[in-house]
């Protein structure tokens, strides 16, 4: 792996790796957790890799892999099953290229990778913990699918870090979602520059700067609206609204204070 690509070989994979594969025209990438024995656990929406419940799904599904009419001799999970599923590596890739998501990257490397959904500043937990989370969620489910707050990348990032964005925000952990929102945001915020300059390069540089800043601030490793929670408690506490964030109180102590988890 390097600056330009996170592409890896199958032989280099180990259980606990967060992997992904770009679909047609690089419109989106599908993410999952490799758990060994040629198996990948990943999160879907009603059998589709991605979806919004709007007309946009026509574009997204057309960019996804075509469904095979032949039953995979290795996979036992139905393609139409909702939620967390397990597939063989071949079915997960669907003919695409294999990439590995990077964790604990430097800020410079993070910003150098202009496309979101390939790396994060957050630190990954041990591989055995990652595999445990993925297998537990396979048996117990992982919330309702939402392209901006609870998608396949959010699932994989949670398995790797145990971090969850508190409900009520606009976006979840997904770098792809941040990129989708950050691009238009950068264009909007840079538009007023037309009033003070006609320099196209200056406006473009500002738009790029706003985009990079929005990606950096929204990364799971930088956000303050996240909490770490055990996988056994995840589904019940989030679905019933028993999880919330309490901001640290202002005090004379200059040492940094962390966000706390409170159960009602």
């Amino acid at each position: 792996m390097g600056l330009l690509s996170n592409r890896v070989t199958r032989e280099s994979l180990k259980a606990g790796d967060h992997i992904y594969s770009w679909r047609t025209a690089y419109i989106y990438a599908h993410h999952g957790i490799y758990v060994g024995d040629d198996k990948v656990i990943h999160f879907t929406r009603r059998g589709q890799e991605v979806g919004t419940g709007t007309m946009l799904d026509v574009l997204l599904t057309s960019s996804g892999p075509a469904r095979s009419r032949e039953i995979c001799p290795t996979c036992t999970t139905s393609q139409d099953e909702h939620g967390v599923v397990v597939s063989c590596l071949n079915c997960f890739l669907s003919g695409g290229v294999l990439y590995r998501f990077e964790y604990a990257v430097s800020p410079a490397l993070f910003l150098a990778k202009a496309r979101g959904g390939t790396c994060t500043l957050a630190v990954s937990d041990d591989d055995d913990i990652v595999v445990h989370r993925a297998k537990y969620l396979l048996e117990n489910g992982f919330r309702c699918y939402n392209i901006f707050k609870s998608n396949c990348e959010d699932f994989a990032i949670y398995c790797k870090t145990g971090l969850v964005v508190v409900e009520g925000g606009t976006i979840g952990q997904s770098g792809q979602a941040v990129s989708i929102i950050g691009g238009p945001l950068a264009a909007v915020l840079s538009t007023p520059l037309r009033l003070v300059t006609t320099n196209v390069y200056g406006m473009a540089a500002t738009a790029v700067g706003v985009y990079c800043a929005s990606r950096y601030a929204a990364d799971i490793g930088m956000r303050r609206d996240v909490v770490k929670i055990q996988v056994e408690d995840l589904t019940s506490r989030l679905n019933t609204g028993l999880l919330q964030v309490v901001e640290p109180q202002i005090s004379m102590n200059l040492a940094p204070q962390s966000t706390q988890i409170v159960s009602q």
Side-chain angles (χ1 to χ4, degrees):
M1 297 191 294
L3 176 61
L4 298 180
S5 175
N6 291 352
R7 185 171 180 172
V8 295
T9 63
R10 293 173 179 242
E11 292 74 23
S12 68
L13 289 180
K14 65 181 186 303
D17 277 347
H18 173 174
I19 62 175
Y20 63 96
S21 182
W22 290 104
R23 299 316 192 204
T24 304
Y26 290 86
I27 291 179
Y28 75 93
H30 190 49
H31 294 246
I33 297 295
Y34 182 73
V35 294
D37 296 326
D38 205 41
K39 299 289 186 181
V40 183
I41 296 177
H42 52 114
F43 188 44
T44 66
R45 179 184 183 272
R46 298 176 183 173
Q48 298 289 346
E49 292 180 347
V50 64
T52 64
T54 68
M55 291 299 295
L56 182 60
D57 289 353
V58 176
L59 172 63
L60 295 175
T61 56
S62 65
S63 303
R67 291 193 179 190
S68 174
R69 295 184 179 180
E70 299 181 1
I71 298 177
C72 176
T74 303
C75 297
T76 57
T77 302
S78 168
Q79 289 183 324
D80 292 327
E81 185 173 341
H82 174 65
V84 184
V85 298
V86 59
S87 306
C88 69
L89 185 57
N90 284 335
C91 288
F92 174 82
L93 294 175
S94 296
V97 177
L98 174 64
Y99 298 88
R100 181 160 48 211
F101 196 97
E102 293 185 84
Y103 284 80
V105 301
S106 67
L109 180 59
F110 179 84
L111 294 175
K113 291 181 178 289
R115 182 69 183 264
T118 61
C119 62
T120 179
L121 301 164
V123 177
S124 171
D125 291 326
D126 293 338
D127 292 335
D128 56 340
I129 297 177
V130 175
V131 172
H132 168 69
R133 288 179 182 139
K135 290 183 175 180
Y136 184 89
L137 294 175
L138 175 64
E139 297 295 329
N140 296 276
F142 180 73
R143 303 195 289 183
C144 294
Y145 187 95
N146 181 295
I147 193 170
F148 292 115
K149 295 194 293 183
S150 183
N151 58 41
C152 60
E153 187 183 345
D154 291 306
F155 168 81
I157 289 177
Y158 170 74
C159 289
K160 289 288 287 185
T161 65
L163 297 175
V164 176
V165 174
V166 176
E167 291 294 338
T170 303
I171 51 179
Q173 299 102 304
S174 172
Q176 294 186 92
V178 173
S179 292
I180 293 173
I181 295 175
L185 175 64
V188 170
L189 294 182
S190 62
T191 299
L193 281 180
R194 297 177 185 175
L195 301 177
V196 296
T197 180
T198 58
N199 188 316
V200 175
Y201 299 106
M203 289 188 293
T206 301
V208 171
V210 172
Y211 170 72
C212 290
S214 66
R215 280 189 58 232
Y216 185 82
D219 182 71
I220 190 68
M222 294 297 297
R223 295 176 63 156
R224 293 177 57 85
D225 59 341
V226 298
V227 290
K228 190 155 189 170
I229 183 171
Q230 296 294 326
V231 67
E232 289 80 7
D233 297 332
L234 177 67
T235 303
S236 61
R237 294 175 67 179
L238 288 176
N239 286 346
T240 56
L242 295 179
L243 187 66
Q244 60 176 295
V245 170
V246 174
E247 293 296 336
Q249 299 296 319
I250 299 177
S251 66
M252 296 302 294
N253 186 359
L254 298 181
Q257 301 180 49
S258 61
T259 300
Q260 300 177 348
I261 301 176
V262 173
S263 295
Q264 295 177 340

